[in-house]
Amino acid sequence: MVLNSELSGASFVEAAFMAMNLLPLVFILQFCLVASLYHPLDPLSPNEIDRIRLIIQNSSLGNLPNLTFHFVDLEEPLKTRRTIISDRLYSGHGYPPLTFIELFRASKLPLKYPKFIESIMKRGLNSSQVSCVPFTVGWYGQNVTKRALRIACFYRGRSVNVFARPIEGISMLVDVDSMQITMYTDRLKAPLPKAEGTDFRSKKQPQSIAYNVSDSGFAVDGHRVRWANWDFHVAFDARAGITISTASIFDAQVKRFRRVLYKGHVSETFVPYMDPTNDWYFRTFMDIGEFGFGRSADTLQPQVDCPANAFYLDGYVTGADGKAQKMPHVICIFERYSGDVAWRHTEINVPGKVIRSGEPEISLVVRMVATVGNYDYVLDWEFKKSGSIKVGVDLTGILEMKATSYTNNYQITEETLTLTATATHSSKQNKRRQEYQRFKPTPREKVTGRSSGKLPKLKPRARIHLGLEPADLLITNPNKKTRLGNQVGYRLIAGQPVNSLLSDDDYPQIRNAYTKYQVWVTAYNKSERWAGGFYADRNRGEEGLAVWTRRNRAIENKDIVLWYIVGFHHIPYQEDFPVMPTLHGGFEIRPASFFESNPLLRQE
Ligand SMILES: *[C@@H]1O[C@H](CO)[C@@H](O)[C@H](O)[C@H]1NC(C)=O
Ligand SMILES: *[C@@H]1O[C@H](CO)[C@@H](O)[C@H](O)[C@H]1NC(C)=O
Ligand SMILES: *[C@@H]1O[C@H](CO)[C@@H](O)[C@H](O)[C@H]1NC(C)=O
Ligand SMILES: *[C@@H]1O[C@H](CO)[C@@H](O)[C@H](O)[C@H]1NC(C)=O
Ligand SMILES: *[C@@H]1O[C@H](CO)[C@@H](O)[C@H](O)[C@H]1NC(C)=O
Ligand SMILES: *[C@@H]1O[C@H](CO)[C@@H](O)[C@H](O)[C@H]1NC(C)=O
């Protein structure tokens, strides 16, 4: 549906709605908002979010029972007035992101469910110490007709590390629309891990440092940021989190700004746990499409999440009731004095002289943190005066742990299992390893629908090729050349190459087929933004980057989108317990004959 109003801001709004207790119908609505004083790529203001809700409620949709707002987002610009200009009823597979109200309600169901209370009592536990966490369920080949969640429960009792004390053996399925538990099994098996040693709270208090942000060398005007030779726009999106757009760099040689990046943001994350057993196989999360990085964004802690010289921005998202919800201090912007060298040289071949020169590296960072369940993602967009943009993805937080009866590695029969908690604990993390011996007689596919579960055993090797084939990944404009005749371009400097370990026919892999290549290039199309499909929850992989690419559109001398897959094989080690030291990944895009010469020497 496209609607028109005299709201400030600009652009279309795309929204996914559901009317509960009906067929789970999903609408895409596009509103056209009239351009005004604001930047056309600004996020929706709280006023605009609230106005959108009023417009919807005033339309024929307003009569639907339990109308829930799952996702409201800006589309690319176009202009009309105060009318719905198109609508589309989505009838394909997959659902929009779960709302936080749904997740919260689902998490409260077990403690009102008699069979669960009985299971807790049977284990001799106190139900007031139980925390339950909802998990998305994925799709494993069945005919999905309903939105569903699995619930896993944990025992706090003297520990704040909820994820360290899973209550194993209980499986619960929730029908999200009726908000009821529709499947419950208890196969009491593993003991509860101990609370001792699980606390991760920091004893150190951050030091308060007096610092005037106004002393920083950057200016923030609304959502526009200017720093050194850069000028760009920052927005906050419920699904993607930080969105960088219209990034331009000043070229001192030609005395004007030159465009580098139209738009950049995270498109999807895929977190497949490699345990095919009954209570674990479905943990194959799509954190962006099922939950949303923006909606999972944290209020940043000064001098922990961002340094003392940081400037903070608030974000706004649409609540399930359609009202604007403020998320304070979800983005920070700061200058980074890394202590690194931006460039240097010592020249001893000039007679009678030693010439030393160089410059320190100073960059500008735009950061957010998303906590999705147990995991915390730190996302950085770092701008360098050299023209590079580095995107950093840091992983930290708590591992998802599985309780077992093992207390020492020698008790484990499976070859690739690692016991990650200390010997005094019976908990262990269980990602990416072989299936249990005792599950072998049962065909995996029947139990869980997963076909991936085993890792090949590798022999010790003294020399290893790490996929270092010579490749310069260049994006060039054939219509524009430097004075020396080189096509102007940027190049992609990839991070560690990582490939999905799932077999191609494993259902979660079908839904996240884009993870089989590290780099993709598509012709720009404004409706192709979400690599795992717009309706990610329980979808069947019928939409998404890998599918779009099959159309084989021309990409040479076209407006293109570059997709880069940042990957981690997170095999847990003991140091990741009870909380994980940050693991870094990312990539860089860097000028490649974009400038006539080193731009660092051309700034005044
Ligand atoms: C709701 O609809 C009525 C009738 O079409 C109109 O008069 C009114 O201005 C609308 N209100 C809003 C908030 O759009
Ligand atoms: C749905 O709406 C009905 C009628 O207004 C209300 O009784 C019910 O509690 C609502 N259900 C949910 C899940 O909000
Ligand atoms: C359970 O825990 C609550 C709160 O910690 C406490 O008040 C209550 O007495 C406990 N119940 C039992 C049976 O131990
Ligand atoms: C799913 O539904 C289709 C069409 O209704 C049917 O042909 C197919 O057999 C069903 N598959 C399963 C696994 O139930
Ligand atoms: C911050 O700026 C104010 C006003 O310019 C000044 O009085 C104050 O001393 C500054 N503080 C620091 C730590 O530089
Ligand atoms: C844009 O993408 C959508 C979704 O993949 C597709 O349906 C549409 O045909 C595309 N448009 C063009 C011009 O390729």
Side-chain angles (χ1 to χ4, degrees):
M1 178 173 300
V2 179
L3 184 136
N4 212 329
S5 78
E6 287 170 4
L7 307 185
S8 61
S11 304
F12 287 90
V13 178
E14 192 173 57
F17 297 85
M18 289 185 83
M20 285 169 57
N21 306 335
L22 281 180
L23 282 175
L25 306 179
V26 181
F27 303 85
I28 296 242
L29 305 159
Q30 293 183 321
F31 305 87
C32 182
L33 311 179
V34 176
S36 75
L37 304 170
Y38 298 93
H39 189 290
L41 296 168
D42 275 358
L44 288 166
S45 71
N47 192 22
E48 287 164 342
I49 294 172
D50 289 337
R51 291 292 299 274
I52 288 160
R53 172 173 154 268
L54 290 179
I55 293 162
I56 298 291
Q57 285 181 337
N58 208 20
S59 77
S60 59
L61 295 173
N63 298 327
L64 292 173
N66 307 86
L67 188 69
T68 306
F69 290 70
H70 287 263
F71 184 62
V72 175
D73 193 25
L74 282 160
E75 262 262 16
E76 301 291 334
L78 267 182
K79 290 164 195 161
T80 46
R81 316 205 124 228
R82 253 192 186 250
T83 46
I84 290 170
I85 54 176
S86 86
D87 68 37
R88 181 162 75 90
L89 184 62
Y90 178 75
S91 57
H93 300 300
Y95 304 105
L98 280 300
T99 69
F100 274 25
I101 289 178
E102 286 164 347
L103 295 171
F104 179 77
R105 285 191 186 145
S107 75
K108 298 294 172 207
L109 293 176
L111 288 163
K112 290 179 280 185
Y113 193 69
K115 285 183 187 164
F116 180 74
I117 303 289
E118 198 182 301
S119 295
I120 293 302
M121 283 167 60
K122 203 166 72 186
R123 285 167 171 78
L125 303 175
N126 184 336
S127 60
S128 73
Q129 297 295 317
V130 172
S131 290
C132 296
V133 178
F135 291 129
T136 48
V137 299
W139 171 70
Y140 299 91
Q142 71 276 51
N143 277 342
V144 171
T145 53
K146 279 182 178 286
R147 296 189 307 141
L149 288 166
R150 285 269 200 150
I151 312 281
C153 297
F154 302 84
Y155 199 65
R156 298 187 310 277
R158 305 195 319 284
S159 176
V160 294
N161 195 332
V162 171
F163 291 95
R165 309 193 73 198
I167 303 168
E168 293 288 344
I170 298 172
S171 281
M172 279 176 276
L173 189 72
V174 169
D175 175 331
V176 176
D177 296 314
S178 65
M179 208 36 92
Q180 276 173 357
I181 293 171
T182 52
M183 185 276 281
Y184 186 89
T185 58
D186 183 359
R187 294 181 309 279
L188 185 65
K189 51 177 189 194
L192 184 73
K194 292 173 186 165
E196 285 73 32
T198 60
D199 199 338
F200 55 80
R201 283 172 294 185
S202 176
K203 314 269 179 308
K204 288 178 231 138
Q205 289 303 311
Q207 302 209 329
S208 150
I209 302 165
Y211 191 96
N212 281 342
V213 167
S214 58
D215 294 345
S216 293
F218 63 92
V220 181
D221 175 11
H223 290 85
R224 181 180 174 192
V225 180
R226 275 166 294 177
W227 171 80
N229 45 358
W230 282 101
D231 186 334
F232 59 91
H233 185 268
V234 179
F236 181 76
D237 180 272
R239 186 156 174 156
I242 288 175
T243 303
I244 300 289
S245 51
T246 55
S248 298
I249 190 163
F250 189 74
D251 184 338
Q253 194 131 31
V254 295
K255 301 210 163 25
R256 62 178 174 80
F257 278 91
R258 293 174 61 193
R259 288 174 293 170
V260 174
L261 176 80
Y262 177 67
K263 204 171 200 178
H265 63 77
V266 184
S267 175
E268 188 53 271
T269 64
F270 178 40
V271 193
Y273 287 67
M274 296 298 281
D275 182 336
T277 61
N278 204 38
D279 293 342
W280 279 75
Y281 75 90
F282 59 86
R283 300 182 199 215
T284 56
F285 307 114
M286 294 164 77
D287 284 345
I288 296 269
E290 292 172 345
F291 302 101
F293 261 21
R295 290 193 318 171
S296 308
D298 274 330
T299 291
L300 297 161
Q301 317 165 76
Q303 293 171 68
V304 175
D305 295 325
C306 310
N309 59 333
F311 175 83
Y312 294 87
L313 286 173
D314 298 331
Y316 290 89
V317 296
T318 307
D321 57 3
K323 290 183 186 160
Q325 278 178 5
K326 181 174 176 176
M327 301 187 68
H329 288 197
V330 282
I331 293 178
C332 70
I333 304 174
F334 58 91
E335 272 186 325
R336 173 182 279 161
Y337 301 83
S338 60
D340 291 340
V341 175
W343 69 270
R344 81 169 316 285
H345 182 60
T346 302
E347 185 53 69
I348 57 166
N349 293 305
V350 179
K353 286 184 188 161
V354 176
I355 300 170
R356 278 197 194 89
S357 46
E359 268 182 69
E361 179 84 276
I362 303 168
S363 56
L364 189 77
V365 177
V366 182
R367 173 175 294 171
M368 70 166 286
V369 174
T371 302
V372 189
N374 53 309
Y375 240 52
D376 298 64
Y377 301 86
V378 183
L379 287 181
D380 280 0
W381 284 79
E382 180 177 10
F383 293 83
K384 291 178 179 256
K385 294 176 188 173
S386 62
S388 274
I389 302 175
K390 283 178 89 168
V391 177
V393 183
D394 285 355
L395 304 184
T396 176
I398 310 285
L399 299 172
E400 221 169 84
M401 288 169 253
K402 181 172 178 176
T404 70
S405 53
Y406 307 126
T407 54
N408 194 290
N409 195 286
Y410 67 71
Q411 298 166 310
I412 303 170
T413 48
E414 304 92 287
E415 279 159 18
T416 55
L417 261 153
T418 334
L419 202 62
T420 329
T422 57
T424 53
H425 297 273
S426 57
S427 62
K428 72 174 177 59
Q429 294 77 33
N430 202 49
K431 285 183 201 177
R432 295 198 172 86
R433 44 175 73 97
Q434 290 193 324
E435 67 180 313
Y436 287 83
Q437 297 291 349
R438 65 174 175 275
F439 283 98
K440 277 209 173 129
T442 322
R444 262 195 310 273
E445 293 75 8
K446 278 204 178 140
V447 177
T448 66
R450 288 289 295 273
S451 60
S452 302
K454 273 191 174 169
L455 294 183
K457 186 177 186 293
L458 299 176
K459 293 204 171 69
R461 286 188 294 167
R463 296 182 302 181
I464 298 172
H465 284 295
L466 275 183
L468 299 174
E469 57 188 296
D472 217 11
L473 302 164
L474 272 177
I475 305 119
T476 58
N477 182 350
N479 309 308
K480 210 164 177 184
K481 297 201 167 121
T482 61
R483 284 206 299 265
L484 295 180
N486 294 309
Q487 293 183 359
V488 304
Y490 256 70
R491 64 188 169 116
L492 170 69
I493 300 185
Q496 52 186 3
V498 169
N499 201 4
S500 172
L501 295 174
L502 277 66
S503 55
D504 287 350
D505 64 347
D506 199 352
Y507 290 110
Q509 184 62 38
I510 294 170
R511 302 167 67 218
N512 292 276
Y514 58 90
T515 57
K516 284 282 164 161
Y517 289 86
Q518 289 72 48
V519 179
W520 300 76
V521 177
T522 57
Y524 173 75
N525 175 332
K526 72 187 173 94
S527 48
E528 296 179 350
R529 282 180 74 190
W530 310 106
F534 181 76
Y535 299 99
D537 179 43
R538 311 206 78 183
N539 77 9
R540 303 186 177 189
E542 287 159 333
E543 197 213 345
L545 181 52
V547 175
W548 307 327
T549 309
R550 282 192 220 133
R551 289 210 296 276
N552 251 334
R553 286 163 286 176
I555 54 169
E556 194 176 352
N557 202 5
K558 293 280 190 264
D559 189 4
I560 55 159
V561 180
L562 173 71
W563 309 73
Y564 177 69
I565 314 295
V566 176
F568 300 85
H569 290 309
H570 183 185
I571 296 164
Y573 294 96
Q574 284 189 227
E575 291 83 358
D576 294 342
F577 181 85
V579 67
M580 193 180 131
T582 298
L583 194 62
H584 180 77
F587 64 96
E588 174 176 351
I589 57 167
R590 182 182 172 101
S593 297
F594 182 85
F595 295 106
E596 293 293 341
S597 60
N598 183 348
L600 293 172
L601 298 190
R602 300 211 159 263
Q603 289 159 18
E604 67 283 23

